[in-house]
Amino acid sequence: LAIFGFAERVEDGFIIRYLPASEDIYADDISASLLAVNAGVEACIGYCPEQYQWEYKRFRTHPRALSEVYNKVRKT
């Protein structure tokens, strides 16, 4: 059984939330399955988008052609 879970930061600690995954997550079609995963993540973010980490270095290692990809991001 697939579920999504996240911790929402509140004034006196955290609220742990769990959301059911769509049955489409088990689809034989990889595109349908991935859409269900993305929809689940989006649903979690929708609870408290201000707490989502919108920037992160997704790739620890990457092709040489992308070696400067993080250096090109404008710092505010």
Side-chain angles (χ1 to χ4, degrees):
L1 174 65
I3 59 170
F4 292 92
F6 63 96
E8 179 180 357
R9 192 176 328 109
V10 294
E11 189 173 311
D12 58 344
F14 294 91
I15 296 173
I16 306 299
R17 298 189 187 273
Y18 297 99
L19 303 176
S22 165
E23 288 296 318
D24 290 342
I25 205 166
Y26 303 110
D28 291 333
D29 176 21
I30 191 73
S31 293
S33 183
L34 291 174
L35 282 172
V37 170
N38 287 338
V41 171
E42 184 178 343
C44 291
I45 293 169
Y47 272 85
C48 45
E50 69 283 357
Q51 294 182 19
Y52 182 70
Q53 183 178 344
W54 290 99
E55 289 186 29
Y56 62 95
K57 290 188 177 185
R58 181 175 181 181
F59 305 103
R60 293 184 189 272
T61 61
H62 37 74
R64 183 172 288 184
L66 297 176
S67 64
E68 297 299 320
V69 70
Y70 295 119
N71 292 334
K72 293 179 183 179
V73 176
R74 185 182 348 183
K75 305 291 183 194
T76 56

